Amino acid sequence: MFNLERWQEIFETIAKNKLRTFLTGVSVASGIFILVILLGFGQGMQNGVTKEFEQDATNRIAVWTGVTTVEHKGLNPGRFIELKNEDYDYLIKKYEDDIEFKSSVYRIWSGVATYKNESGSYRVEGVYPDYQFIENASLSHGRFINYPDHDNYEKVITIGHKVYTDLFEEDEDPVGKQVQISGINFKVVGVYTDPGGEREESRIFLPLSTSQRVFNAGNRVRNLGFTLQRQESFAKALQQSIKFSAEIENFLKERHIVAPEDTSAINVFNTLEEAKRYYDLIAMIKLFFWVVGICTIIAGVVGVSNIMLIIVKERTKEIGIRKAIGAQPWSIIGMILHESIFITAFAGFLGLITSMGLLEIIGPNVEIDYIVNPSVNFNVALTTVFVLIAAGTLAGFFPAWRAAKIRPIEALREA
Amino acid sequence: MIEIKDLHKSYHMGNNSLHVLKGINFNVEDGEMVAIMGSSGSGKSTLLNILGMLDEADQGSYVLDNTHIKNLNEKLAARYRNRFLGFVFQSFNLISYKSALDNVAMPLYYQGVKRSKRTERAMSYLDKVGLRDWATHMPNELSGGQKQRVAIARALASDPKVLLADEPTGALDSKTSYEVMEIIQAINDEGKTILIVTHEDDIAHMCKRIVHLRDGVIIDDQRIDQVRVKEMTNV
């Protein structure tokens, strides 16, 4: 490998056939280029989907209601199903051991909030304190609403970051300020941020009990939200969440006299199940990308192998001379292998560097749904390097073997 | 130096078998200069290939410098060739993309000699054949006679026991042929054993002994008075 003589010979032979070597190199380089770009976008898709699910806790289960579409037990379709506090109370008691965070929600789709001269229309949601964790929200000012607020029907709110920037002046401390919602004064106790972005941050949270009282909702709730206790493995967590969602769906349908096959009256959304579906899809896509990339590299490698065979054929006489003056078979094999590995590795690295450079430059600027920052990590780069060297060895081996088998007497006879 | 006993060689082509060497007995002493003559198909090239370990005999024994040459694998054959033999071919067989100096240094490379030493020794052999000033030239910049002289220098570079020349003047005009033969004679004068395959009488008579082959057997083997190229008046 570090034999200077050998390197010189390789450069001499390459210099003799610049165009041929260049074209061979291009096929390998483009193979690696395509592989890396594909893998980069595979990673980008994974990043994108992960981000998409980041806006809520990934093991979240949400329940909401709609209008019945199927006649059941003599009741006509078209009834609007409403959940009650009692549904929630029953469920959290029954599944006390399974549930991690829990909340029911009463929602006003658009409440007008006013502070001084600024006002805006936002979703106003009455929730339990746990809702912070179900939403994956974190606080930038003050605190989230808490259980004492809830027990005492306090008129306090935690506002989203968007609401804060809309209503308040820059650097103004919102905590303790009074904001009017539908003409009622609420005291701001905190500001939250949400990885889901602006849409998720243009909401106002207040205690559920307060919301039911001020908006005359009685004991009605719009949504239920749960997260389940963490499990040791993804598979277990998935199994648990599927079982849990099925059970609560059955329970709620029975209690509200909804047909089991009615899909619109009671909806249970299982984030984990959804996430798994996406992750499975991405795993498949990534595998597919690897296969396509490897096939492209194989095409390149076969090209190198082909060229090396031609080179061996062309140099038959020279190899015969070398053997006649004392070259051992292994030195011939080494010579051909070395050249093949050099061409593959050099061209491959060129492809690797250009593709990684390209990903580095355009990666952060890619703004497509479900694709975020396509990139390859160091391990993948390292793997492709090994793939390259293996490919070069493979490409060179058969031609080298053939070269070593050349009989000097026959080679020299070919004048 | 060379002892050959009852050497046989056949070539098989499909169902036909061609018996080329039919029992050759033949000794060469240290420092001899032997011409092997014969018409084409007489087996002289085959004999030279066997002597050069480029080919193997079917039967018989071959001893070179007290070493039995048999059952060679490629690796061993390569080592023996490198250590014992220097080849000179009719078509020169220089490596086209290497300079004269690099061509001469090649056997030393395969012997594992260090680069600086290799260059030094190669240069001294080039000097010996009168081509010191042509060391950096490529083979295609040299005349036929010069190429053959480079080839001789290369054959000598590994300091072999025996120099094997297969029609060394076959591709050269007579003036250049004589120049080449003069060099070969000078090498022989230094004590190197030399075997030359040729079909030219005048070349054969520049050796010290002529062996005639016909149809795979030796029909004539005699010592002669060597014609010295240097003393020839018409050159």
Side-chain angles (χ1 to χ4, degrees), chain A residues 121-142:
Chain A
S121 169
Y122 307 101
R123 268 160 74 187
V124 179
E125 298 186 342
V127 296
Y128 282 99
D130 278 8
Y131 205 64
Q132 181 195 348
F133 306 107
I134 297 175
E135 279 291 330
N136 226 8
S138 42
L139 290 156
S140 63
H141 296 79

Side-chain angles (χ1 to χ4, degrees), chain A residues 126-199:
Chain A
V127 296
Y128 282 99
D130 278 8
Y131 205 64
Q132 181 195 348
F133 306 107
I134 297 175
E135 279 291 330
N136 226 8
S138 42
L139 290 156
S140 63
H141 296 79
R143 62 171 178 86
F144 208 74
I145 53 167
N146 59 21
Y147 280 102
D149 298 336
H150 182 79
D151 294 339
N152 301 326
Y153 300 90
E154 295 285 359
K155 292 202 189 95
V156 291
I157 53 175
T158 299
I159 60 175
H161 190 259
K162 174 79 165 59
V163 181
Y164 165 60
T165 51
D166 282 356
L167 298 185
F168 290 86
E169 302 200 358
E170 230 176 307
D171 299 330
E172 190 178 354
D173 184 9
V175 177
K177 302 280 159 52
Q178 297 285 331
V179 171
Q180 271 196 349
I181 299 170
S182 308
I184 303 161
N185 273 328
F186 288 88
K187 189 172 82 180
V188 177
V189 292
V191 178
Y192 74 89
T193 58
D194 190 300
E198 256 189 17
R199 195 170 62 90

